[in-house]
Amino acid sequence: MRDDVLLSGVRENAWRQLPRLAARTSLTPTMLKVAAFFLLLLTLSLGAQEMGREPFRPQFHFTPERNWMNDPNGMVYLDGEWHLFYQYNPEGDKWGHMSWGHAVSRDLVSWEHLPLALAEEDGVMIFSGSAVVDWGNTSGFGKDGQSPLVAIYTGHREKRQDQRLAFSNDRGRTWTKYEGNPVLDLNLADFRDPKVSWHEASARWVMVVALPAEKKVHFYSSRDLKAWERVGEFGPAGAVGGAWECPDLFPLAVEGEKGATKWVLIVNLNPGGPAGGSGCQYFVGDFDGNRFAAETQAAPLWADFGADFYAAVSWSDVPVTDGRRIWLGWMSNWKYAEAVPTAPWRSAMTVPRTLSLRKTPEGMRLVQRPVVELEKLRQEGARTFSGGSFLEAAEWLKAQADLAPLLEVEMTFAEVADKTAFAIDIHTGPDERTTLTCDPATKQLGLDRSRSGQVAFHKEFASGASAPLRFVDGRLALRLLLDTSSLEIFAENGEATVTKLIFPKAGSRQISLTSGPGANPLVSGITIRALRSTQ
């Protein structure tokens, strides 16, 4: 047994034994209080030891308690709970024995870990998929007038993948695999990741599912979630340099155009992403319940330009009163995911993000913003620079030398010069820095993590990333979310995002501004907020 498991067990069992001790002995209330005090000290001590061995554990991003995690799965909302299932190996910290882990949240910020939901069984692994609330009990799985949760997932065994069902009538706490599985089988080795939703216009279920090797997705329809009919396909298109995986399909509102919506088709692929390895692309168009017609695009559209955003899918059954389309992605990359220097867990999810579409001169673009619920993590005492020259802002930042490890940073620039680049550095100690470069000449935002901390664990980890920037009226707005081992960048109010892992030393941060000769944009404002941990 690993030390981390042993320590966790010691703490849990100690607290459980205290009521039993009181019931079976003649200890006085005072003596019990003393015992409780020493148990508290033990808990804090062991907890500190655990955290000391987990220097890169994210503090406001979801991670499994231990072992391996990859794609988010089965994301569904029901009775005030946001369900997050995920690809999970219950037996180790590398890929294998794929099953569905499970957690729930009431605020998209703090998560409660629940027991394993769907386990590998009889040689069939549980690959990625989705979950829906079957409000009309079209499947017949509901009982006592309840609307069941139904999971639609890929069953995987060697050289064969098919689509299967499981259902729950107790808010996802226990699951029953459908005895009629599989419900869709094409006798293919690569046929996976079904995303199912209710299509209101045709009053039926629609599934989009990937054929990775063919760079295609197929569309199926069903009245009962059990019998499926193929109605259309899409692809190859866009980026085709890797296997197509983890599709999603949903309507999305267009900003500033009341009542206007377009359909968005998500296709993750690996390799072939914008920063190498894994990537998430999207298409904008129209969907009639059978076929998806994409608008013309000159080049692939990327949801995120960093190396560590993959398998992103959205929550289903979000109440109309909420009205948001929310998703998150796996915050890693298949190139080095098994090598990252974390223990006893591997991998994290991004923060949940709210989606919309924005009309730009180049066409429709996907917009992502961190969910507003994250604002409850903001601590009091924000540090603000109310505006001034670039040099004044740089001097102000020099004085902010003891920033918290967990940060939200907002920066707005105006009158950005046409040619000269400037840089934002995030420091942890004298030798570690993560560098963002804003280049008006190329209209690009670069991210360099080659000196960000531990990078030698994989030869390709130190690689950079670049995202397109649109300087509207010479202005640029940036929002950064900095956790223990990750950086998420939202440029131009979410029009371009960059997500990257970093593994710096623990301790306080510092931010600096530098530029080449002649660069002197105005800095309209800087706000730096320390964030609370959810752990």
Side-chain angles (χ1 to χ4, degrees):
M1 180 180 289
R2 289 196 305 268
D3 288 346
D4 63 281
V5 178
L6 176 61
L7 290 172
S8 179
V10 167
R11 289 186 299 169
E12 182 178 359
N13 290 329
W15 284 108
R16 286 180 175 175
Q17 292 302 320
L18 189 58
R20 299 175 187 174
L21 184 65
R24 297 179 183 180
T25 67
S26 58
L27 290 178
T28 66
T30 299
M31 295 171 68
L32 284 172
K33 288 180 180 178
V34 172
F37 174 75
F38 281 105
L39 280 173
L40 176 61
L41 290 179
L42 174 64
T43 298
L44 293 174
S45 174
L46 294 177
Q49 292 179 49
E50 287 184 74
M51 288 305 296
R53 284 195 300 274
E54 298 183 9
F56 301 126
R57 171 79 76 172
Q59 297 299 294
F60 60 90
H61 289 80
F62 178 82
T63 55
E65 292 182 299
R66 54 183 53 84
N67 293 348
W68 169 271
M69 176 183 74
N70 55 286
D71 306 356
N73 297 156
M75 293 156 61
V76 62
Y77 179 94
L78 178 64
D79 293 340
E81 292 182 327
W82 302 86
H83 289 261
L84 171 60
F85 300 89
Y86 51 90
Q87 291 285 277
Y88 184 65
N89 181 1
E91 300 185 25
D93 62 2
K94 293 187 177 181
W95 187 94
H97 301 289
M98 285 293 94
S99 304
W100 274 21
H102 188 194
V104 293
S105 174
R106 289 194 169 273
D107 61 2
L108 291 170
V109 175
S110 299
W111 294 90
E112 175 189 355
H113 294 277
L114 294 177
L116 196 69
L118 297 175
E120 174 190 28
E121 192 174 23
D122 299 326
V124 178
M125 284 196 253
I126 313 297
F127 269 31
S128 293
S130 52
V132 295
V133 183
D134 185 6
W135 294 107
N137 196 23
T138 63
S139 62
F141 293 146
K143 64 180 183 180
D144 301 328
Q146 292 188 80
S147 299
L149 277 176
V150 181
I152 309 94
Y153 64 92
T154 296
H156 170 86
R157 60 266 197 230
E158 188 176 0
K159 297 182 179 179
R160 188 74 168 269
Q161 293 179 345
D162 53 41
Q163 315 318 316
R164 301 179 176 225
L165 304 179
F167 60 91
S168 171
N169 284 295
D170 59 359
R171 297 167 45 246
R173 269 54 181 181
T174 60
W175 291 83
T176 301
K177 294 174 183 174
Y178 175 45
E179 61 183 11
N181 282 333
V183 296
L184 183 55
D185 185 0
L186 302 185
N187 193 25
L188 293 174
D190 294 297
F191 176 50
R192 58 181 176 265
D193 312 333
K195 182 63 190 294
V196 171
S197 60
W198 180 257
H199 188 251
E200 193 67 40
S202 59
R204 58 183 181 170
W205 299 101
V206 170
M207 175 196 295
V208 55
V209 60
L211 282 77
E214 298 180 28
K215 329 295 187 190
K216 290 182 178 182
V217 296
H218 280 183
F219 303 107
Y220 290 83
S221 69
S222 174
R223 299 291 181 183
D224 62 1
L225 293 169
K226 299 173 182 176
W228 292 91
E229 175 189 4
R230 181 178 164 186
V231 294
E233 68 176 49
F234 178 82
V240 294
W244 279 25
E245 297 185 313
C246 303
D248 200 351
L249 178 68
F250 46 81
L252 206 54
V254 179
E255 292 180 353
E257 298 188 15
K258 187 175 182 179
T261 62
K262 302 291 288 186
W263 282 81
V264 177
L265 174 63
I266 302 297
V267 180
N268 292 268
L269 82 161
N270 179 69
S278 311
C280 177
Q281 68 174 324
Y282 66 96
F283 303 87
V284 180
D286 297 298
F287 180 68
D288 63 4
N290 298 309
R291 292 172 177 81
F292 177 83
E295 296 180 348
T296 302
Q297 59 186 61
L301 301 177
W302 299 107
D304 193 290
F305 292 86
D308 299 306
F309 185 84
Y310 192 62
V313 288
S314 64
W315 267 277
S316 69
D317 294 282
V318 177
V320 174
T321 52
D322 183 307
R324 293 176 294 175
R325 176 66 58 174
I326 301 173
W327 75 350
L328 53 66
W330 179 48
M331 197 160 56
S332 197
N333 191 304
W334 280 114
K335 291 194 299 184
Y336 46 72
E338 292 189 341
V340 294
T342 65
W345 87 100
R346 275 212 172 94
S347 297
M349 299 299 183
T350 67
V351 296
R353 303 173 179 182
T354 303
L355 303 180
S356 62
L357 286 171
R358 182 176 299 161
K359 185 179 289 186
T360 75
E362 292 76 30
M364 288 290 183
R365 293 295 182 264
L366 188 68
V367 174
Q368 303 175 68
R369 299 179 180 90
V371 291
V372 296
E373 287 88 342
L374 285 170
E375 294 177 8
K376 68 174 62 177
L377 298 182
R378 293 173 175 174
Q379 298 193 44
E380 295 181 359
R383 306 189 191 191
T384 59
F385 175 75
S386 58
S389 70
F390 189 89
L391 293 177
E392 289 171 335
E395 288 299 315
W396 179 83
L397 282 169
K398 280 184 181 180
Q400 319 302 314
D402 56 345
L403 299 175
L406 313 179
L407 291 175
E408 177 188 26
V409 182
E410 294 179 290
M411 292 184 169
T412 305
F413 300 88
E415 298 183 16
V416 178
D418 292 334
K419 296 182 179 180
T420 307
F422 60 93
I424 304 164
D425 283 298
I426 301 169
H427 307 261
T428 48
D431 302 320
E432 293 182 347
R433 66 181 62 191
T434 301
T435 302
L436 287 69
T437 302
C438 303
D439 191 340
T442 60
K443 293 183 170 57
Q444 293 287 311
L445 173 68
L447 179 59
D448 180 355
R449 64 178 174 188
S450 61
R451 297 178 60 189
S452 60
Q454 291 192 32
V455 299
F457 56 84
H458 191 278
K459 62 181 181 180
E460 294 188 63
F461 181 77
S463 61
S466 180
L469 287 178
R470 200 162 60 93
F471 297 91
V472 181
D473 297 326
R475 298 177 62 84
L476 172 65
L478 297 174
R479 182 179 179 187
L480 318 179
L481 291 179
L482 187 64
D483 203 340
T484 311
S485 53
S486 66
L487 174 62
E488 291 171 273
I489 305 169
F490 302 84
E492 280 308 296
N493 202 17
E495 193 172 303
T497 65
V498 182
T499 302
K500 281 248 185 180
L501 297 175
I502 54 174
F503 297 100
K505 298 183 181 74
S508 61
R509 319 267 192 177
Q510 184 172 4
I511 299 173
S512 64
L513 277 175
T514 56
S515 69
N520 192 26
L522 294 178
V523 180
S524 301
I526 301 174
T527 302
I528 302 174
R529 298 181 179 92
L531 300 178
R532 296 183 180 88
S533 170
T534 62
Q535 301 300 310

